Amino acid sequence: QPENPPASPRPEEIENFFPSLFRQPLAGVVSIDLEGKIALANERFGELLGVPAAGLSGQTIASITFPADLPETLAAFTSVVNDRKSVILEKRYIHANGSLIWALSSVTPVFGEAGEVSSVLALVQEISARKRAELEAEAKQAYFQGLVDLSPAIIWITDAQSRCIYLSKPWYEFTGRSAEQDLGFGWLENVHPDDLAATAALYRAATEAKGILSIDYRLRRRDGTYRWMTDRGHPRFAADGTFLGYVGTLVDTHEQKLSTERLAESQQQ
């Protein structure tokens, strides 16, 4: 078995060795020399950037890369040359019209006659539509997360086994505890000892029945005092009807609870 990899063509000759690779229309193909300059690009890569492929020869990868992605791009290029291994990265290219093109690039070393890395070959697939969808989803998630965090009500989610898998920010502000302490079944440690058995039993019964949950109990605040809370939950189901757990709200109703009790006592006198 040879110590060095088999020799490959020089950057400007690579199209003659892999004609089908350069002529295929699905992915951009770029041969880059060790100075980071484009030696050869196929028509598809030119289409991605909105320029003739021949016009890309001699340009540096830095000149067609979005500045924010340049450090990662140069690090990947250096890794391919020094470590002699392929890397895959997502990055943005600059289109001729100034817009940004998201692409998935698979970058591979090309070896010379002595086994040295003589150039780099990149296969580039556009993923702009996918990235836009991902970024829009992230923006929506951040928006709704912001609304949840600003809500005075505590939002909670459980799985099909009644384990708590999400507690909104107000929960941690109220209890002064961490997610590690309260996710799963740890949140029950905050329930008043006199209310714990009934609370746990109602949660189990609701999960078995897969119906609406409604319960009042006292919850320990971060200062050690207990506050009456009203807990409401609705079952979650998958598209095929599979039970997924609950989503609910927890609201501080302490003053209302005490006011109701005082009113009831006054009416009995």
Side-chain angles (χ1 to χ4, degrees):
Q1 188 173 7
E3 182 177 343
N4 295 319
S8 294
R10 294 192 300 273
E12 64 274 11
E13 299 175 339
I14 201 165
E15 183 178 15
N16 297 327
F17 283 77
F18 306 108
S20 60
L21 179 64
F22 270 80
R23 294 170 188 167
Q24 56 83 28
L26 300 179
V29 184
V30 193
S31 177
I32 306 167
D33 66 23
L34 297 185
E35 295 180 352
K37 295 180 180 179
I38 296 175
L40 188 67
N42 72 344
E43 291 300 325
R44 176 54 183 156
F45 189 71
E47 291 173 2
L48 290 176
L49 300 187
V51 297
L56 290 169
S57 296
Q59 291 195 38
T60 64
I61 54 175
S63 67
I64 58 174
T65 298
F66 182 55
D69 296 342
L70 187 55
E72 183 180 2
T73 298
L74 295 178
F77 182 83
T78 301
S79 175
V80 169
V81 174
N82 293 342
D83 299 337
R84 303 159 64 90
K85 294 180 181 179
S86 300
V87 300
I88 296 176
L89 74 154
E90 292 183 356
K91 59 173 290 185
R92 287 162 289 186
Y93 289 97
I94 303 173
H95 192 275
N97 64 13
S99 63
L100 298 179
I101 306 298
W102 274 101
L104 181 69
S105 299
S106 176
V107 189
T108 303
V110 177
F111 299 98
E113 294 181 357
E116 80 286 3
V117 175
S118 60
S119 63
V120 170
L121 187 67
L123 272 65
V124 182
Q125 289 185 304
E126 184 178 7
I127 57 170
S128 296
R130 192 196 83 192
K131 289 299 293 187
R132 280 195 297 269
E134 290 178 357
L135 293 173
E136 288 175 3
E138 290 174 3
K140 288 180 180 178
Q141 175 64 27
Y143 172 74
F144 286 115
Q145 185 62 55
L147 291 180
V148 167
D149 289 343
L150 290 173
S151 171
I154 293 168
I155 311 298
W156 56 267
I157 301 174
T158 63
D159 63 15
Q161 288 73 45
S162 295
R163 292 187 295 258
C164 186
I165 58 175
Y166 175 79
L167 288 163
S168 65
K169 184 178 178 181
W171 169 274
Y172 302 109
E173 293 174 344
F174 183 91
T175 63
R177 285 162 57 99
S178 67
E180 291 74 19
Q181 290 174 300
D182 285 349
L183 291 182
F185 297 104
W187 68 272
L188 287 166
E189 296 173 6
N190 301 283
V191 176
H192 193 287
D194 292 345
D195 302 335
L196 180 58
T199 300
L202 277 172
Y203 264 88
R204 285 194 298 269
T207 299
E208 292 173 2
K210 300 177 178 58
I212 293 176
L213 169 71
S214 180
I215 183 174
D216 292 345
Y217 54 84
R218 286 163 289 182
L219 192 69
R220 187 176 61 243
R221 197 165 58 183
R222 64 189 307 147
D223 62 3
T225 61
Y226 284 89
R227 305 277 298 180
W228 278 103
M229 311 292 284
T230 295
D231 204 345
R232 301 287 184 269
H234 289 262
R236 301 184 297 121
F237 296 95
D240 62 359
T242 302
F243 176 65
L244 300 176
Y246 277 84
V247 58
T249 60
L250 187 63
V251 179
D252 187 330
T253 54
H254 190 75
E255 278 72 27
Q256 180 183 347
K257 179 79 171 178
L258 296 184
S259 177
T260 301
E261 290 179 350
R262 285 193 294 267
L263 179 60
E265 290 175 358
S266 65
Q267 291 175 343
Q268 291 175 358
Q269 292 177 355

